[in-house]
């Protein structure tokens, strides 16, 4: 899944100049260590990319994208 995120991130940048910050489980964990308790890590970036598996496997993070107040696009290659 990580390679798909990297590919998608690179494609959106190279074709449309859309910068995306990749938030995988390790990246979110590091970011949350730096943020005050309860702060939404998805408020730190205007555009982010995260796998649905990361959200599904970490119930602790699941509410954050829902409360981000942003449009969310989900692409499932399955």
């Amino acid at each position: 899944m990580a390679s798909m995120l990297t590919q998608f991130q690179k494609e959106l940048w190279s074709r449309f100049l859309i910068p995306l910050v990749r938030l995988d489980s390790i990246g979110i964990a590091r970011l949350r260590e730096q943020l005050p308790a309860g702060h939404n890590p998805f408020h730190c970036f205007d555009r982010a990319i995260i796998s649905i598996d990361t959200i599904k496997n970490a119930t602790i993070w699941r509410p954050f994208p829902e409360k981000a107040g942003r449009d969310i696009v989900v692409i499932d290659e399955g």
Side-chain angles (χ1 to χ4, degrees), residues 5-44:
L5 286 179
T6 301
Q7 180 183 354
F8 192 68
Q9 182 182 27
K10 286 179 181 179
E11 288 289 324
L12 282 173
W13 174 250
S14 65
R15 294 178 188 264
F16 307 107
L17 298 178
I18 297 174
L20 295 172
V21 175
R22 193 173 70 203
L23 294 177
D24 54 12
S25 56
I26 295 168
I28 292 174
R30 284 186 191 144
L31 185 59
R32 291 200 62 210
E33 288 175 2
Q34 300 170 7
L35 296 174
H39 189 81
N40 189 334
F42 292 93
H43 286 162
C44 296

Side-chain angles (χ1 to χ4, degrees), residues 57-69:
N57 291 332
T59 57
I60 201 173
W61 298 320
R62 189 175 300 156
F64 288 114
E66 295 171 0
K67 295 178 183 176

Side-chain angles (χ1 to χ4, degrees), residues 1 50-62 76:
M1 182 61 75
I50 185 170
S51 74
I52 196 71
D53 290 335
T54 299
I55 297 294
K56 286 191 316 188
N57 291 332
T59 57
I60 201 173
W61 298 320
R62 189 175 300 156
D76 184 3

